Amino acid sequence: MKKQTALFWLKITLIIYILATIFVASLNYGMQNIVSPKQAKVIHQIYKIFENEFKISLILICSFLSWQVLKKQKNNKLQKINLIAFSTTALFIHGIIPWLLNNRELYYFFMPLPWSSLGLQLLDSTSTYYTQQLNLWGVSGIFIAVVFFLISNGVVLLGTLMIGRRWQCSYLCMLNGFVSEIWSKVFPIFGKKKKISSNLLKFLNVFRWIMLGLSLILTTWWLFRIFGIPIKGSKEFISEFEVIKYLSLELLMMMFLWIIWTGRGYCYYCPLGAFLSLISKVIGQKIKTDNTHCINCNQCTQRCPMSIDIAKAASKGKAVNNLRCVGCGHCIDICPTRTLSYETHFIKWWRTKFNHPIVKKD
Ligand code: SF4
Ligand code: SF4
């Protein structure tokens, strides 16, 4: 397939995904409570088909298209791994696991704490969410969802402890990560690629911690309730607030940023990303550079979706351990002299012990 044809279809499919998301979210969040129970059931079915069958098909088709584009590029190893990982995650989260456990809404619990408190709300038998889901799933369904939520939290935590944010942001994230990798070649949808201004970057660097603070407050609030510790605030208000936050600051803003700026726009202020970046710091996540091979071509910096100046660090032989780094590996792939490599303490240990890299440099 020609590169231009694949790029054209990637853009079209992304527009379709955005329109479909807006349509289904409007139905689900705007209409659900004002229509008859029969119509609400139909809306619920549409939402489930969108989140499962539609999403899997789209991800597989678009990963194939993206693969066709990557094939024309000389170095593409890490981006290909990202595509394979996201397609596999989508198959498991939106297909195989829901089918095995007979629950097609388990994906709700795949973004771990502190991003969403839905899993905690399921542990509070007085919450509105618990009551709603009890009617739909029964007690055994709630139990399965809670176990899935705990396992997915454990998997993300363990994976991040070993290989940094690459684990979540380049392999698992079914919110923004998969879109930013699968459609990485077609952002922004309208207009030319834009460089972020230093003022906006400063604002986002602060806003990220505000979002994390807010998520931690909400998480703590639900934990207090679960453990029976008295706390002020109405559960209806808190749940409503979280839905509004999700729809406005997260879902809609994320898509707006795809249209005008970059696929990773939301990652600049994602609370989960901020939380994982702190863990990544502890486990020594970095992009290693080597100034004896760096030819100062600046391609790594231009390619970085998180506006990190890798070339500057590479020219001095310094490692890049910026908190914004999502570990996507685009800088490593693009480097013409194969100067850069991804590392954490665990990856280094593995390489030394088994003489075999987990994340391999060509
Ligand atoms: S920063 Fe957040 S939204 Fe972005 S890929 Fe990571 S977890 Fe997903
Ligand atoms: S520094 Fe490299 S790995 Fe990190 S976000 Fe930028 S391009 Fe991705």
Side-chain angles (χ1 to χ4, degrees), residues 111 115 165 168-170 173-178 180 264 266-268 270-274 276 326:
M111 280 293 270
W115 186 80
R165 285 173 84 188
Q168 172 69 14
C169 305
S170 300
C173 175
M174 285 285 116
L175 179 73
N176 196 48
F178 82 97
S180 55
R264 288 276 178 191
Y266 175 66
C267 301
Y268 278 74
C270 165
L272 176 60
L276 297 179
V326 289

Side-chain angles (χ1 to χ4, degrees), residues 83-130:
L83 285 185
I84 294 170
F86 276 127
S87 307
T88 313
T89 306
L91 265 180
F92 271 91
I93 299 308
H94 293 281
I96 296 172
I97 295 177
W99 175 70
L100 282 177
L101 299 180
N102 194 24
N103 183 333
R104 295 171 73 220
E105 289 163 301
L106 283 176
Y107 57 85
Y108 283 152
F109 309 105
F110 193 58
M111 280 293 270
L113 289 169
W115 186 80
S116 158
S117 72
L118 271 191
L120 294 181
Q121 293 182 43
L122 266 195
L123 288 166
D124 178 356
S125 59
T126 63
S127 75
T128 321
Y129 186 65
Y130 177 92

Side-chain angles (χ1 to χ4, degrees), residues 166 285 287 300 303-308 310 320 322 324-332 340 342:
R166 186 174 179 78
Q285 172 183 315
I287 305 293
C300 49
R303 177 59 70 87
C304 177
M306 300 305 290
S307 309
I308 299 168
I310 307 134
V320 177
N322 193 303
R324 279 199 310 278
C325 176
V326 289
C328 62
H330 291 202
C331 56
I332 299 168
L340 308 171
Y342 183 80

Side-chain angles (χ1 to χ4, degrees), residues 199-244:
N199 281 342
L200 181 57
L201 194 56
K202 274 183 204 155
F203 168 76
L204 290 171
N205 279 344
V206 174
F207 190 50
R208 182 166 73 233
W209 303 115
I210 295 175
M211 287 291 282
L212 176 59
L214 193 58
S215 302
L216 289 174
I217 290 171
L218 293 167
T219 302
T220 312
W221 195 88
W222 285 106
L223 282 174
F224 268 53
R225 278 189 68 89
I226 291 165
F227 290 110
I229 305 168
I231 185 158
K232 283 194 173 153
S234 118
K235 59 181 191 292
E236 287 79 15
F237 173 78
I238 299 281
S239 305
E240 199 65 25
F241 174 78
E242 283 197 58
V243 171
I244 292 169

